[in-house]
């Protein structure tokens, strides 16, 4: 039986990059202090992984190990704690940010493969949960309008629940400051009521993959 093709990503080694054979990968990492590498079944997975810092795949485990043990060995995590599944790179991701809660709120949608921003919205007063909800609905409408089949990633379980229930269950008060935002929320809820969609909404696995590509980087 013909051996299945593997692709090897080296984040830290004598040479970094994507290798299509173990020999070249081994030459790059064997005996190299703190080498970081991993094999993948497809080139697209390897390409995505290479463009995502290797630390993202095992950062949470590393931090936990540091807290629990006085002796920490980073080599232990070079190959064994990478998630067995990877995100679909031909997809879009949405995320929100809020300066204060409530405060200035914005959300955006990006194409995961390239990081290109597809849409963006900002309002003077809102909450992070509202932004996550509106980001998903905007993404769904965007994909349907263009007849795109890509799945949509979000890191908000709460927002996924609100979208499925077709209702933004915010406790933010309706007043003169928030009236425009609530009009926008109402339009999003109406879109959910009046439209069907086949888009798969997927929870982004932050622990395994790092921050979602649509993250504003303000943490």
């Amino acid at each position: 039986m013909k051996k299945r093709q593997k692709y090897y990503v080296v984040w830290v080694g004598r040479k970094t990059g994507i290798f299509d054979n173990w020999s070249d990968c081994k030459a790059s990492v064997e005996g190299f202090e703190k080498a970081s590498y991993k094999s993948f079944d497809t080139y697209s997975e390897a390409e995505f992984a290479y463009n995502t810092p290797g630390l993202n795949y095992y950062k949470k485990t590393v931090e936990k190990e540091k807290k629990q043990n006085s002796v920490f060995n980073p080599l232990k995590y070079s190959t064994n704690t990478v998630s067995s599944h990877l995100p679909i790179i031909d997809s879009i991701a949405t995320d929100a940010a809020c300066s204060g809660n409530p405060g200035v709120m914005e959300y955006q949608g990006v194409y995961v493969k390239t990081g290109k921003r597809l849409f963006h919205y900002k309002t003077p007063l809102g909450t992070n949960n509202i932004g996550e909800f509106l980001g998903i609905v905007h993404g769904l409408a965007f994909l349907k309008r263009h007849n795109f089949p890509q799945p949509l990633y979000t890191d908000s379980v709460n927002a996924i629940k609100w979208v499925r229930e077709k209702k933004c269950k915010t406790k933010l008060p309706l007043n003169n400051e928030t009236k425009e935002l609530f009009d926008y929320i109402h339009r999003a809820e109406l879109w959910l009521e009046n439209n069907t969609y086949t888009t798969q909404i997927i929870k982004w696995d932050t622990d395994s993959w790092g921050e979602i590509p649509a993250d504003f980087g303000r943490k």
Side-chain angles (χ1 to χ4, degrees):
M1 180 185 293
K2 185 178 179 180
K3 190 174 181 180
R4 197 158 128 189
Q5 173 72 55
K6 287 275 191 180
Y7 297 91
Y8 303 87
V9 171
V10 176
W11 293 284
V12 180
R14 294 182 183 86
K15 289 185 179 180
T16 61
I18 303 172
F19 301 89
D20 61 5
N21 63 85
W22 169 241
S23 295
D24 289 344
C25 177
K26 183 179 180 182
S28 176
V29 302
E30 189 173 46
F32 191 91
E33 185 178 3
K34 298 184 181 180
S36 177
Y37 60 99
K38 179 72 173 70
S39 66
F40 297 91
D41 291 331
T42 67
Y43 184 82
S44 61
E45 288 179 332
E47 183 180 40
F48 181 87
Y50 179 63
N51 290 318
T52 304
L55 185 60
N56 284 357
Y57 289 100
Y58 54 93
K59 181 178 179 181
K60 299 294 181 180
T61 307
V62 167
E63 291 174 349
K64 181 178 179 181
E65 182 80 358
K66 282 182 176 179
K67 291 178 181 179
Q68 295 177 347
N69 299 278
S70 57
V71 179
F72 171 68
N73 179 12
L75 293 176
K76 176 180 177 183
Y77 298 103
S78 295
T79 60
N80 296 329
T81 62
V82 176
S83 173
S84 61
H85 64 294
L86 287 171
I88 302 165
I89 61 172
D90 185 19
S91 62
I92 74 169
T94 65
D95 197 27
C98 196
S99 301
N101 204 29
V104 177
M105 181 273 288
E106 61 185 316
Y107 70 77
Q108 65 180 349
V110 304
Y111 183 43
V112 171
K113 187 173 184 179
T114 63
K116 178 182 178 181
R117 177 184 278 182
L118 303 174
F119 51 83
H120 176 254
Y121 174 81
K122 188 173 184 178
T123 186
L125 191 63
T127 68
N128 196 71
N129 282 334
I130 292 174
E132 299 281 9
F133 169 79
L134 292 175
I136 295 176
V137 179
H138 197 149
L140 293 174
F142 175 86
L143 291 167
K144 182 168 184 176
R145 182 169 67 251
H146 294 285
N147 197 29
F148 290 157
Q150 285 82 0
L152 182 152
Y153 283 103
T154 175
D155 60 8
S156 174
V157 173
N158 186 66
I160 293 174
K161 183 174 182 290
W162 285 3
V163 168
R164 287 175 178 167
E165 295 174 353
K166 303 179 182 180
K167 188 69 176 177
C168 180
K169 297 183 177 181
T170 180
K171 294 181 180 179
L172 185 71
L174 172 59
N175 53 40
N176 289 335
E177 288 185 286
T178 60
K179 183 180 183 302
E180 184 177 333
L181 174 61
F182 271 87
D183 287 342
Y184 194 65
I185 291 171
H186 182 60
R187 293 200 302 272
E189 292 172 339
L190 284 178
W191 189 91
L192 291 172
E193 288 288 347
N194 298 322
N195 288 270
T196 59
Y197 56 87
T198 58
T199 302
Q200 184 181 11
I201 303 173
I202 308 172
K203 171 67 171 64
W204 183 265
D205 187 352
T206 305
D207 286 345
S208 297
W209 305 331
E211 296 296 341
I212 193 166
D215 181 64
F216 284 89
R218 296 175 188 165
K219 296 178 178 62

